[in-house]
Structure formats: structure tokens, C-alpha cells
Amino acid sequence: MVPSTPSSSATPSLPLSRESVVDRYFLEHRAKVLDVAAFLDRVDRARPASAGGGEDARLRSLRAAVAILVDGQAERARRILELLSDPSTEPIAKAPMKGARGAWEGFGGGASPGGGR
Amino acid sequence: MSYIDPHVHMVSRTTDDYERMALAGCVAITEPAFWAGFDRSSPQGFFDYFRCLTETEPRRAAQYGIAHHSWLCINPKEAEDPVFAREVIALIPQFLDRPNVLGIGEIGLNKNSRHELEILEAHLQLAADRNLLVLVHTPHLEDKRKGTRLIMGAIRNQGRLDPGRVLVDHVEEHTVREVLDAGFWAGMTLYPDTKCTPQRAADVFEMHGTDRLWINSAGDWGASDPLAVPKCREEMRRRGHLEEVIRKVSFDNPRTFLSQSGRFRVEVAPTR
Ligand SMILES: [Zn+2]
């Protein structure tokens, strides 16, 4: 019987210096921040689809996610994923579609969690 | 260095991909049953799919020296009609004794609906009755955290499944800790836009360790990369991680988990 847990539990911490991490990844992530900025500019330039209605929940979520980037706290990736997650806990009655939109549609808009859909 | 891609849908990939994977060091793969991009119109469509997973793909893989294994189920995207889904589940047992079948998968939830949960429970019962390994698919994007918790609850409620024989796949930064702390194995899927990139997967190893954790490409008909596992290994190598650590996550860990099936074959010793 093969044991289900390997013996070593060491966490391989990042072997690079902070300077090396910045050297290696800065340009790539500079470009990604610019992509986000240009995307938000593009949204502003686009004609609204219809009168009234609040901002798309995905945009509300994205703006809140961007704020996490600069709040100085740790585990930004985990916290952004949590911000984008459906907070409800009960199964829904029926699947409304097969795909997912990438952000919880009730975010910041006062909608009930997914259990009510 | 040899590697295992423990989650890839080769039915959706070309023979060129098998060749490229072999050139990159792939020696074994496992292929879970999944959604073909369209709903099958009859259970017979699944019968043919299971034949493909147990006859055709192993032959195709063998041409490149890759050992092919499969997991059978009806995936949660097609579980919204429970009568249909149960007809498909009834077809599975006749395939379970085929030599490349490792267990039930990839089962789980998609939109976290009641019907999906009912069919998940039916699969879990089959796995428990036959003492089979389980490969779990967790939902996408905003549905993932809730679905992961519902799935872990369903497995606990089943009562007869050892978490050490269940791999919960597609974990990300917000689900990996809970899955590992509950005693399950966990998989990170390396996708270009959704799920994890090779860089973030390397970050997760640095934050959560390498025990009971593996990486896979989940290459399929959508935006995906059948060479994602060697690319993640290269990312770890460039960061200065030890070869033994890289081998653990891309070869030793999948081999350890999958060998619990008694069916997993990998003939090439890992060498650099
Ligand atoms: Zn899959």
C-alpha cells in the first residue's frame, strides 16, 4: 500500500532575492497594469447599452480588486479571489447556464447571494 | 526529466500534441471524462466516449511511449437532468474493470445546483461501493469556493471515502488550504486565463508546500496548453528550486496518489 502522504513536508520558500523578483517580473506586470488601465478607459469610452441600471457587478468587483492591490496587506491573490466569489452556501434550485462570469453578480449591489437565483 | 500530466483531455487534442508532450518528457497521463463542449443526446453517446477513453486513447498514447489512464463519469455540466445522468452512471460499471481505468472522475459541481449535487452523491456512492479513487472537478471562477465547500461536505457525508484517496482539482489561492487541511489531495490546473498560471502555481508551492499537491494542464478543446506542466517546471527551475522539489510535484506526487488505484503504470524512471 502506497502511503497517501509523502514524508517530506518542507515548504520550498522562494529562492530569489526581492531584487531578482523585480528584475525578472517587472516588465510583464507593468504591462498587465497598463492593460487594466486601458480596459477601464475603454469601458468609459463605450456607449452604455441602455439607460439606467447600475454599473456591471464585474466592474464593481474589478475596482474593489484593484484597491486590494494597494492596501499594503498580504495574500492579495487569495483575497481578490474571495472578493470575486459567490458568498452563499446553499445549492441553487437550477443551473441557469453552464459557464461562469468571473465575478459574483451580487457584489456591491445589494443583490441576494447565489442561493436566491 | 520525465513528468506525468494527471489531467488532460487528449480526445480533444491532436496526435501532434502527443508527440510534443512526449518530446517534453511526458511518460504518463490520466484523462478524466468531461463535457465535450456540447450535450450528448443519449446515454449511448457516453458509451462510445467511454470506449474512446479505454480503447482508442490508450492506443494513440502508446505510439509515443505515454501510458494512458482514464476516469469515468458523467460530468456536472450534463448533470442537470438527473434521470439522464443516472442512465449514464448505470453504464459505468461495465467499464470499471478495463485495465486503464483508475476511478470515478472528474465529478463535482459546475453551478452548485441541487441536481448536480444529487448526481455527485450518486457517483460518490459508486466510488465507495467499488473502493475506487475519485478525481473531483471544482467549479469555475465565482462558483469555485462555494462549490469546493459543498463537494467536500458531500464527500464527508458519504462517510466511506478516505480523503487520502480523493483528489480535489482546480484549486487556487482561496481554496487550496481548506482542501489540504481536510486531508484531500489537491491539483492546480495551469490555464492561460482562468485557474492558475505556471507562475501562480509556483507561488502556491512556496506558500503551502508540496505535500499532496500536483499540477496539470487540463488541456482540452478550449484555451489551454498541453505543455503547461513542463512550463511550470521550467518556471520553478528558473526561480532556483531544487530538482527534487520539481520532480516531487510533477512526477512523485501524481505517481503516489495514482498508484493507490493498483492500475497506474509508469515505466520510465525519472532521470535528468
Ligand atoms: Zn478536466
Side-chain angles (χ1 to χ4, degrees):
Chain A
M1 177 86 186
V2 180
S4 61
T5 306
S7 54
S8 159
S9 60
T11 300
S13 58
L14 177 59
L16 299 174
S17 69
R18 191 165 290 189
E19 188 182 22
S20 313
V21 171
V22 176
D23 283 348
R24 184 160 314 189
Y25 297 108
F26 177 76
L27 279 180
E28 178 186 345
H29 295 89
R30 175 186 185 275
K32 287 180 178 175
V33 169
L34 283 169
D35 277 343
V36 173
F39 166 65
L40 292 174
D41 289 345
R42 198 175 309 137
V43 169
D44 287 348
R45 287 201 318 277
R47 220 166 356 97
S50 56
E55 187 173 49
D56 188 298
R58 289 170 293 184
L59 284 177
R60 288 198 300 272
S61 304
L62 189 67
R63 293 187 205 284
V66 169
I68 287 179
L69 297 182
V70 295
D71 72 2
Q73 304 297 308
E75 296 199 65
R76 298 169 185 85
R78 174 183 64 75
R79 290 188 292 127
I80 286 176
L81 285 165
E82 284 173 353
L83 178 151
L84 296 169
S85 295
D86 177 353
S88 70
T89 56
E90 292 299 314
I92 59 173
K94 193 175 189 318
M97 57 178 176
K98 286 198 200 291
R101 287 157 54 87
W104 174 51
E105 65 188 79
F107 181 83
S112 63
R117 268 180 282 165
Chain B
M1 191 200 271
S2 303
Y3 76 92
I4 296 165
D5 191 340
H7 186 150
V8 60
H9 301 287
M10 295 309 294
V11 65
S12 302
R13 309 297 315 191
T14 63
T15 299
D16 291 345
D17 287 333
Y18 271 121
E19 182 180 30
R20 293 192 301 142
M21 290 166 73
L23 288 169
C26 183
V27 290
I29 58 176
T30 90
E31 176 159 3
F34 84 139
W35 187 53
F38 61 94
D39 288 354
R40 281 91 163 177
S41 59
S42 73
Q44 206 59 28
F46 282 86
F47 184 90
D48 289 338
Y49 179 41
F50 297 155
R51 284 180 49 227
C52 176
L53 290 177
T54 55
E55 296 171 17
T56 312
E57 290 305 326
R59 275 200 302 271
R60 235 158 55 102
Q63 288 179 285
Y64 296 94
I66 296 174
H68 181 284
H69 312 79
S70 58
W71 307 79
L72 304 179
C73 74
I74 174 168
N75 70 88
K77 278 200 174 82
E78 284 170 286
E80 201 49 40
D81 177 350
V83 175
F84 181 92
R86 285 182 188 280
E87 286 178 35
V88 175
I89 292 173
L91 296 174
I92 294 174
Q94 64 193 295
F95 290 93
L96 289 177
D97 292 326
R98 296 201 171 184
N100 77 325
V101 177
L102 302 183
I104 301 298
E106 56 184 304
I107 56 171
L109 298 172
N110 180 51
K111 296 303 292 181
N112 303 324
S113 77
R114 292 208 186 97
H115 286 161
E116 290 170 11
L117 195 56
E118 175 190 332
I119 294 307
L120 167 63
E121 288 163 353
H123 280 110
L124 293 174
Q125 187 181 330
L126 175 59
D129 289 347
R130 303 280 298 240
N131 194 30
L132 296 167
L133 295 184
V134 172
L135 183 69
V136 167
H137 163 93
T138 54
H140 305 279
L141 304 170
E142 70 270 25
D143 299 315
K144 182 180 298 292
R145 184 181 60 173
K146 172 182 175 179
T148 301
R149 290 173 177 174
L150 286 171
I151 292 164
M152 291 195 294
I155 295 169
R156 264 192 297 274
N157 291 341
Q158 208 292 325
R160 286 181 294 150
L161 289 165
D162 171 4
R165 292 171 54 84
V166 177
L167 184 125
V168 178
D169 216 334
H170 316 317
V171 300
E172 292 178 63
E173 289 88 339
H174 60 326
T175 55
V176 60
R177 196 67 261 159
E178 286 178 60
V179 169
L180 292 174
D181 285 349
F184 296 101
W185 285 68
M188 286 186 283
T189 291
L190 309 166
Y191 268 3
D193 297 323
T194 59
K195 305 191 171 71
C196 270
T197 58
Q199 289 180 2
R200 281 172 50 212
D203 294 335
V204 168
F205 287 128
E206 290 159 5
M207 292 186 288
H208 299 283
T210 54
D211 284 355
R212 287 182 286 120
L213 190 52
W214 76 30
I215 44 177
N216 59 67
S217 73
D220 62 11
W221 45 263
S224 54
D225 179 2
L227 296 181
V229 171
K231 286 177 184 172
C232 185
R233 295 198 316 172
E234 201 50 40
E235 169 69 19
M236 294 179 75
R237 200 169 281 135
R238 280 198 299 258
R239 292 187 188 190
H241 286 297
L242 300 173
E243 286 299 322
E244 66 190 64
V245 170
I246 298 169
R247 193 183 79 178
K248 181 177 173 185
V249 300
S250 59
F251 189 92
D252 298 340
N253 280 358
R255 182 176 58 177
T256 300
F257 176 80
L258 299 166
S259 293
Q260 296 182 93
S261 67
R263 297 264 181 86
F264 184 70
R265 301 161 291 124
V266 59
E267 270 134 39
V268 182
T271 51
R272 168 70 180 163

